[in-house]
Amino acid sequence: MKAIMIMFDTLNRRFLPAYGADWNHLPNFRRLQERTVTFDNCYGGSMPCMPARRELHTGRYNFLHRSWGPLEPFDDSMPEMLRTSGVYTHLVTDHQHYWEDGGATYHNRYSSYEFCRGQEGDRWKGHVGEPLIPATASWRSGSLWRQDWVNRQYMTDIADHPQTKTFDAGVEFIKANHAEDRWFLQVECFDPHEPFFSYDRHKERYPHDYDGPHFDWPDYRAVTEKPGEVEHARMEYAALLSMCDDSLGRVLDAMDEYGLWDDTMLIVCTDHGLLLGERGWWGKNVQPWYEENIHTPLFVWDPRLHVKDERRSSLVQTIDFGPTLLDFFGVTPTEDMQGRPLSGVISTDEQVREAGLFGSHGGHVCITDGRYVYMRACVTPENQPLEQYTLMPTHMDHRFAPGELKDISLAGPFPFTKQVQVMRLPAKALGNPYIFGTLLFDLQTDPEQQKPLRDEEVETRMANLLVAAMRANHTPASQFERLGLPLVGAVGPEHLLIDRQWAQVKNGERLSQRNDDSSSYHRCVRLTLNEVVKDARLSAAFRTIFGLDLSSTVLDRFGHLTPWQLSFLMPNVTSDMLRVFDAIPAEWSSAGALP
């Protein structure tokens, strides 16, 4: 028996023909649908990228204990369990986050691996001089943006693109090993994640009128671009998705050529979606986890069951992928794994869970039963207490700063940490769900999530499902306190939040519809963060008013932005805060800095 997983990053369900998109050129995704079972109710869990991959390995949610980070020493790892059980596991990927500080313990769990360089600002090619960067509709700057334009110089041909090289390596592995038994191949492609960099042959499939600036990498923020620019970005995404379709076809061709459908499982999946101007937002993370970002596509072929070109409606999640592969190879999932093998769903559409948990560390904590979606916000504006529980103190692309470790204490052990205590560290989320309030949607009557509900009976039921899921995940007490939920006992009227936060719910609907512009402000709000940090008093005032330290990491990503621009990326930076900061006396700033 053999298995192949093709994992695309940021694969939008609503762009695929299996889920109703009939306007794009994706013949191989149509072909895939005919050869597999299509899942209608697959949801992500721990968001975003690396937390989702930790779920793939461990089969359990992690976002209530930890933000983006490596596999922990106590974590189960599906590919490692397969390897120690005699299954050869091979990873081919261009996903650069595996090689950063916050992902460095994943790839060594496989028997072997290949890394194809160059995606999204991967620190690949070294150029001391500045690259040529065209005028763009994006607000991006900093080292990641610069490095991406260095890397693009080495991708002038499709054959040079890291996506192409990743699938080259995957097809090469299939060709070399198709006659062997007991192997698992994970072909993991960073595309169609932004930047939406593809080639003329892909762009030509989506003709549209556009004469604006370069725009293939939207920021994660409220939309400020013109409608034509928004449409252009969507077409750039569609073009990159067509490139992914071509690559997918190469694996399907190899399965045909070598007769692998008889004994090889195929899983095609993703970690999350991406907002492309819908609801007035770009990206993910800064807004609640709406359907566009959390409701994901999933296709599975199981050669033991021979079910194809059918659909399944049972609620499944990313945490099920690892147990499904373990079960396929006859390896028993561990007791710590919360996911379930999907063979029963494929066979008879059996239910594997009543409700699915999802969210990001410090954000909304959400639950869905397949019909209702309940997004629980924090109970106070401070979004506290919030803590990290880890033995691996690294963020996405940098280590924890010494200041973050000053208040360290030991906690646990938790039931899933293998009798090991962990570090407990005070944490602060970059965003704040309080500004959006607690949300409840009925997907049956409102699939676009345009009409938030105010229903105490449904909220009580969904909040009880949420509490049960949090307890099953051994969620720390601080999260219950942050969310205003009971650590023990049932949810009562005193725990309900929608009525209490209804003003925030209605205000949250308008957050992407700003009626102010930069000309509304005349002083400090028109300074860049790089200018603000030069003055100690301004910097201290910024920290007090906005609750954000101007660290080197923040300045690298956002230093070129003004506080007004920052408010589009961080909705918790309100117009009231901007007005307070704008009123700071001119003499506080460095001489001549203020306009």
Side-chain angles (χ1 to χ4, degrees):
M1 305 297 280
K2 309 150 194 172
I4 299 171
M5 171 181 280
I6 302 175
M7 188 175 192
F8 293 102
D9 196 304
T10 315
L11 183 62
N12 273 328
R13 183 179 190 270
R14 64 194 182 280
F15 274 69
L16 300 180
Y19 298 99
D22 59 1
W23 54 272
N24 45 22
H25 183 80
L26 301 173
N28 291 302
F29 274 102
R30 295 179 188 275
R31 180 178 162 200
L32 174 71
Q33 180 184 355
E34 295 171 356
R35 298 301 302 258
T36 62
V37 169
T38 300
F39 287 75
D40 286 326
N41 278 305
C42 181
Y43 280 79
S46 302
M47 291 288 106
C49 302
M50 294 317 293
R53 283 153 183 80
R54 190 176 171 198
E55 286 192 347
L56 172 64
H57 281 248
T58 66
R60 64 177 294 114
Y61 311 111
N62 56 72
F63 72 95
L64 290 165
H65 300 83
R66 183 70 164 93
S67 61
W68 184 303
L71 280 176
E72 300 279 351
F74 49 79
D75 276 342
D76 299 317
S77 169
M78 172 271 294
E80 187 169 59
M81 291 173 64
L82 290 177
R83 176 165 58 88
T84 58
S85 298
V87 178
Y88 193 96
T89 58
H90 186 62
L91 170 69
V92 295
T93 185
D94 57 359
H95 199 285
Q96 74 285 356
H97 293 311
Y98 279 124
W99 275 262
E100 294 174 334
D101 289 338
T105 56
Y106 291 84
H107 57 281
N108 279 313
R109 310 283 73 77
Y110 297 81
S111 304
S112 52
Y113 53 83
E114 296 179 62
F115 178 32
C116 303
R117 303 294 302 270
Q119 287 279 20
E120 195 212 27
D122 172 26
R123 300 179 195 181
W124 178 34
K125 296 295 185 179
H127 280 212
V128 177
E130 292 302 314
L132 292 175
I133 301 177
T136 177
S138 171
W139 291 353
R140 290 187 178 273
S141 185
S143 59
L144 192 73
W145 174 253
R146 178 191 182 279
Q147 183 65 52
D148 191 71
W149 284 99
V150 171
N151 293 348
R152 291 192 195 204
Q153 299 175 49
Y154 296 87
M155 303 178 196
T156 56
D157 187 82
I158 294 174
D160 302 324
H161 196 286
Q163 179 192 145
T164 304
K165 292 182 177 180
T166 297
F167 279 87
D168 285 346
V171 171
E172 178 185 65
F173 180 90
I174 294 171
K175 181 178 180 180
N177 297 287
H178 66 90
E180 305 295 333
D181 194 23
R182 291 182 67 77
W183 51 256
F184 167 55
L185 168 65
Q186 183 172 329
V187 181
E188 186 172 334
C189 176
F190 190 68
D191 292 325
H193 191 290
E194 69 281 356
F196 309 140
F197 174 51
S198 64
Y199 298 86
D200 287 345
R201 75 161 69 167
H202 310 112
K203 299 177 191 295
E204 289 166 358
R205 299 170 187 173
Y206 304 96
H208 59 286
D209 294 328
Y210 182 71
D211 59 0
H214 176 91
F215 190 34
D216 66 5
W217 196 349
D219 307 279
Y220 291 1
R221 58 169 169 81
V223 172
T224 60
E225 290 76 12
K226 300 173 184 176
E229 292 171 331
V230 173
E231 180 64 13
H232 176 67
R234 289 174 178 167
M235 293 303 100
E236 293 286 83
Y237 176 88
L240 183 57
L241 184 55
S242 277
M243 184 177 176
C244 294
D245 183 84
D246 292 347
S247 295
L248 170 65
R250 298 175 62 195
V251 175
L252 299 181
D253 288 346
M255 292 188 69
D256 288 342
E257 179 179 356
Y258 298 114
L260 294 180
W261 297 101
D262 294 334
D263 63 357
T264 305
M265 173 176 276
L266 175 65
I267 299 175
V268 178
C269 59
T270 191
D271 47 2
H272 51 68
L274 194 78
L275 284 163
L276 292 169
E278 298 89 350
R279 306 174 186 276
W281 290 105
W282 294 115
K284 57 184 185 287
N285 301 332
V286 300
Q287 62 286 104
W289 288 97
Y290 294 118
E291 286 285 287
E292 291 91 343
N293 281 354
I294 200 67
H295 195 169
T296 57
L298 175 64
F299 305 88
V300 181
W301 162 254
D302 189 329
R304 301 169 300 177
L305 305 175
H306 297 281
V307 182
K308 63 180 181 178
D309 201 16
E310 294 186 16
R311 307 186 79 93
R312 296 294 181 261
S313 61
S314 294
L315 178 61
V316 304
Q317 291 193 270
T318 307
I319 58 172
D320 299 321
F321 300 170
T324 296
L325 285 159
L326 292 171
D327 174 72
F328 179 74
F329 285 106
V331 180
T332 303
T334 71
E335 292 183 358
D336 291 329
M337 291 184 169
Q338 298 179 283
R340 296 291 179 265
L342 296 179
S343 55
V345 182
I346 295 170
S347 295
T348 63
D349 208 8
E350 74 173 18
Q351 180 177 302
V352 292
R353 64 178 46 81
E354 182 181 7
L357 186 67
F358 62 88
S360 55
H361 189 257
H364 283 89
V365 179
C366 312
I367 195 87
T368 182
D369 62 359
R371 174 177 177 177
Y372 293 100
V373 174
Y374 182 57
M375 303 178 178
R376 181 81 178 198
C378 48
V379 71
T380 67
E382 292 74 24
N383 196 23
Q384 290 291 326
L386 184 64
E387 298 164 334
Q388 300 259 23
Y389 293 84
T390 184
L391 290 173
M392 305 287 290
T394 58
H395 294 297
M396 180 174 76
D397 56 2
H398 59 284
R399 299 170 293 174
F400 276 40
E404 295 180 89
L405 302 172
K406 287 181 178 178
D407 295 321
I408 189 173
S409 61
L410 288 178
F414 291 95
F416 59 87
T417 61
K418 313 292 192 289
Q419 300 181 335
V420 174
Q421 289 184 297
V422 296
M423 293 183 287
R424 176 171 49 211
L425 301 163
K428 189 171 185 178
L430 198 58
N432 191 334
Y434 187 83
I435 194 76
F436 291 94
T438 295
L439 300 164
L440 176 65
F441 296 100
D442 182 350
L443 299 179
Q444 182 173 299
T445 61
D446 179 28
E448 303 298 320
Q449 293 179 308
Q450 298 295 321
K451 302 172 183 177
L453 297 178
R454 201 172 183 177
D455 186 315
E456 289 190 3
E457 181 180 350
V458 176
E459 183 182 6
T460 300
R461 186 176 73 83
M462 296 303 293
N464 273 304
L465 286 174
L466 177 59
V467 165
M470 291 173 65
R471 292 172 184 168
N473 190 234
H474 310 295
T475 298
S478 56
Q479 287 280 14
F480 288 90
E481 182 180 350
R482 180 177 76 94
L483 300 171
L485 289 169
L487 187 61
V488 296
V491 172
E494 70 275 17
H495 300 116
L496 303 185
L497 282 186
I498 291 178
D499 271 350
R500 290 159 56 186
Q501 297 184 344
W502 192 248
Q504 291 138 250
V505 171
K506 303 312 289 183
N507 180 64
E509 295 175 344
R510 299 187 293 269
L511 282 174
S512 64
Q513 303 164 14
R514 297 280 292 273
N515 57 14
D516 65 332
D517 56 38
S518 59
S519 64
S520 303
Y521 307 95
H522 306 288
R523 304 176 64 77
C524 299
V525 170
R526 298 178 70 176
L527 298 173
T528 67
L529 303 193
N530 285 330
E531 291 171 323
V532 169
V533 78
K534 292 177 182 178
D535 186 279
R537 287 182 297 181
L538 271 181
S539 184
F542 183 95
R543 185 184 308 110
T544 299
I545 295 168
F546 300 116
L548 181 66
D549 288 323
L550 294 177
S551 65
S552 58
T553 301
V554 169
L555 291 173
D556 181 61
R557 294 176 182 172
F558 308 125
H560 63 292
L561 300 179
T562 66
W564 176 78
Q565 290 175 308
L566 190 69
S567 69
F568 285 82
L569 283 79
M570 299 180 183
N572 49 303
V573 174
T574 66
S575 56
D576 288 341
M577 294 177 183
L578 293 176
R579 282 190 286 271
V580 171
F581 191 65
D582 204 44
I584 289 175
E587 59 268 19
W588 277 30
S589 70
S590 301
L594 287 172

